[in-house]
Each structure stands twice: as C-alpha cells, then as structure tokens.
C-alpha cells in the first residue's frame, strides 16, 4: 500500500512514468486546461479491480467534474466510468483474457477544461461488498445449498463432485 505523488506531470500516454498496484493511492493534479493523466497498472488474469477517483481541490472537486476510465496502450477504453458523484468517479474491470494485462488508469475531468488536485485509489472487491449492492432482506434466514454430484452439468459447467469432508 503505497501513496504515489505526481511530482512531474503524468503523460496522457503509455509513456507515463507512474505505476500503481492494488491498494495503492495516486495523488495527482491538473495544472492547466486540457491536462489529463495516465497511470500504469498490471491486472492479473482473472483479477477484478475497482478504481475510485476523487477530486480534492479546485474546480474538479465539485460539480461532477472528475472522470476515470481504464484504457489500453493505444488509448482504447477498456472500462468506462460506472458511477459518479459531485467529486468522485468510479470504474470496475475484470481481466478475462487469461493473461496479465498492462493497462492505464485515465484520470481526467468532464469537459477536459478544469484544474485542481485529485486522488486515485485501486482496490479489489471483497465478498462483503455484496452487502452494499442493495436488494431486499431474505424472507427466511435458512439457506438451502445443493452439492452437485460428479458429472452433473449446470450453466455449461460440469461438476467434479464433492467429498463428504467438503460437504461437512
């Protein structure tokens, strides 16, 4: 868990000098109109990442002005903004390619005209995140679990079966 501080303007290209990983926080800023930053991140096969950008000062701290996405080396958007508030923007990406990917977090402001400082934080979801997804309470606290026997197929997946130790 490292805090990376932008001391030199981050290039808005795959030549950026900044890199971050899961649990890291990046502190950056837009010094002039049109400034936007890329931060490199390696996403492992099967890994899901959540990216949260928060405007911390200046015009990007208010009025729905920060925007975060994940792009590839050519700048093609891989994961667009999924939610926003007055001062935050989030996106989520799952690497389903079967291999590690070098991608870039693209931090900008809506309209690409505002200045100010921001933070970007990268996390992975936990099972407890499901509590925040909403929904309604269960009618009963009882949960029924079915242990598929070896060879049974559900949604195109064939069960390998279970041992009694795994069931208990």
């Amino acid at each position: 868990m490292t805090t990376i501080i932008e001391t030199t303007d981050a290039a808005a290209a795959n030549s950026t000098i900044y890199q971050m990983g899961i649990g890291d926080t990046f502190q950056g800023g837009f010094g002039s109109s049109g400034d936007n930053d890329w931060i490199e991140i390696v996403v492992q096969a099967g890994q899901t990442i959540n990216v949260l950008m928060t405007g911390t000062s200046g015009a990007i701290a208010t009025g729905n002005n920060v925007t975060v996405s994940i792009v590839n080396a050519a700048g093609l958007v891989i994961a667009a903004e999924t939610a926003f508030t007055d001062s935050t923007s989030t996106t989520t990406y799952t690497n389903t390619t079967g291999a590690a990917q070098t991608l870039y977090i693209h931090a900008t402001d809506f309209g690409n005209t505002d200045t100010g400082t921001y933070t970007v934080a990268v996390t992975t979801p936990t099972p407890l995140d499901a509590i925040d997804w909403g929904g309604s309470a269960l009618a009963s606290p009882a949960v029924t679990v079915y242990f598929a026997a070896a060879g049974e197929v559900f949604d195109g997946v064939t069960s390998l079966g279970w041992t009694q130790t795994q069931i208990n």
Side-chain angles (χ1 to χ4, degrees):
M1 297 168 102
T2 303
T3 298
I4 300 110
I5 299 172
E6 182 184 28
T7 56
T8 301
D9 188 42
N14 61 12
S15 60
T16 184
I17 61 171
Y18 295 102
Q19 302 167 340
M20 63 187 304
I22 305 301
D24 291 347
T25 301
F26 180 84
Q27 296 177 352
F30 304 136
S32 61
S33 178
D35 190 7
N36 60 98
D37 299 332
W38 284 20
I39 307 111
E40 182 181 299
I41 186 163
V42 175
V43 183
Q44 299 301 318
Q47 188 174 48
T48 297
I49 61 170
N50 297 325
V51 180
L52 170 66
M53 180 180 180
T54 304
T56 55
S57 75
I60 65 171
T62 60
N64 301 326
N65 283 335
V66 294
T67 305
V68 69
S69 59
I70 300 171
V71 299
N72 66 13
L76 177 68
V77 175
I78 302 299
E81 175 183 71
T82 55
F84 64 90
T85 68
D86 279 350
S87 63
T88 66
S89 174
T90 60
T91 190
T92 299
Y93 173 71
T94 301
N95 179 356
T96 59
T97 66
Q101 288 182 292
T102 299
L103 299 172
Y104 300 87
I105 297 165
H106 181 201
T108 189
D109 71 282
F110 185 75
N112 203 24
T113 58
D114 294 323
T115 60
T117 60
Y118 66 88
T119 62
V120 170
V122 178
T123 59
T124 56
T126 68
L128 296 179
D129 288 342
I131 293 171
D132 297 329
W133 294 342
S136 59
L138 295 174
S140 166
V143 176
T144 303
V145 178
Y146 176 72
F147 293 92
E152 289 185 90
V153 179
F154 296 93
D155 293 328
V157 177
T158 303
S159 173
L160 299 177
W162 300 87
T163 67
Q164 192 58 48
T165 303
Q166 291 170 319
I167 294 172
N168 293 337

